[in-house]
Amino acid sequence: MKRLLPLTHLYLRRIIDRVAMYIYMPLFATHGKNILFDPWGDYSFRNISIGNDVTLGTKPILLAAESKIVIGNKVMFGPEVCIVAGNHNISEVGSFMFDVHKKIPEDDQDVIIEDDVWIGSRVLILTGVTIGRGAVVGAGAVVSRSIPPYAIAVGNPVRVVKFRWDVETILLHEKSIYPEKERFTRERLQKDQEILYQICQN
């Protein structure tokens, strides 16, 4: 009996969560198939677009006042990921920041997370960032700059520490899962990896 009661509560909670998820799902700007999200997270629904086969983890915060958050296909979030796609205008002289409602272009920029991305637990993603296809962002990272495709990035501020594979392996991977017109070129991939190598040498 002692075991039955908590198990019953657990199953009821899962059922309630699933029902709430389907109720809230139409509030997103757009969404694909097979998405899972915590209905008790915080979302600016009308500004968020989600692709197919996406898991947003537990207790996420996805906020975009006037910009957009675009999440591609086959994306995985760990618990408590936070995306803030906007800033306050702090440039007005003679006004409290609280009272300033006029925005400047730099304040609200889209956040784009491309396909096949894994975002670790408690990652903070800031306005204007693009996380490239196939990238991995380690737990606790603060992402204030864009991350190239297939990079592994960690830390605060975030930095690319390596790529998942060498260029040849990435090309083979892309050939296996993407149509030809959607694949990255060798030149693009080599450029990304050469830039990282130069940074590491300095």
Side-chain angles (χ1 to χ4, degrees):
M1 186 65 178
K2 286 182 179 179
R3 182 175 171 79
L4 185 61
L5 212 58
L7 280 175
T8 303
H9 178 267
L10 184 64
Y11 289 132
L12 281 173
R13 174 63 191 266
R14 287 180 179 173
I15 291 168
I16 290 168
D17 286 356
R18 186 57 61 97
V19 170
M21 187 182 73
Y22 283 108
I23 289 171
Y24 292 139
M25 197 177 296
L27 296 177
F28 288 112
T30 61
H31 67 83
K33 298 177 181 177
N34 191 30
I35 69 167
L36 294 173
F37 66 96
D38 182 351
W40 317 118
D42 289 324
Y43 309 93
S44 54
F45 286 101
R46 65 184 179 85
N47 295 358
I48 302 170
S49 296
I50 303 174
N52 298 311
D53 303 316
V54 173
T55 303
L56 296 183
T58 56
K59 299 180 182 177
I61 300 172
L62 278 64
L63 301 176
E66 297 181 21
S67 54
K68 295 177 183 177
I69 297 172
V70 180
I71 300 170
N73 302 312
K74 308 283 187 184
V75 173
M76 303 177 291
F77 283 15
E80 300 180 19
V81 169
C82 180
I83 300 176
V84 182
N87 282 320
H88 293 287
N89 182 354
I90 60 171
S91 64
E92 293 287 324
V93 177
S95 298
F96 294 106
M97 290 183 288
F98 182 88
D99 296 326
V100 177
H101 302 292
K102 180 183 176 184
K103 292 278 191 175
I104 56 177
E106 306 89 76
D107 289 336
D108 292 278
Q109 300 179 50
D110 298 345
V111 169
I112 299 171
I113 299 173
E114 296 180 348
D115 298 345
D116 189 31
V117 168
W118 177 18
I119 307 292
S121 176
R122 295 189 174 181
V123 169
L124 171 60
I125 301 171
L126 299 177
T127 186
V129 161
T130 295
I131 299 179
R133 180 159 85 202
V136 177
V137 183
V142 177
V143 185
S144 55
R145 65 188 75 167
S146 293
I147 296 170
Y150 295 101
I152 297 177
V154 299
N156 176 14
V158 77
R159 68 191 188 283
V160 175
V161 291
K162 63 179 181 178
F163 288 85
R164 288 172 60 191
W165 303 298
D166 60 27
V167 171
E168 294 301 326
T169 307
I170 294 174
L171 289 170
L172 182 63
H173 174 74
E174 292 253 315
K175 187 176 181 180
S176 300
I177 61 175
Y178 292 108
E180 186 173 358
K181 63 181 180 179
E182 294 180 16
R183 296 175 202 157
F184 287 120
T185 64
R186 180 185 302 275
E187 291 73 24
R188 161 70 191 274
L189 295 169
Q190 283 177 335
K191 183 178 178 182
D192 287 339
Q193 297 205 6
E194 284 169 6
I195 289 170
L196 176 63
Y197 178 76
Q198 290 169 4
I199 291 170
C200 291
Q201 293 303 305
N202 295 331

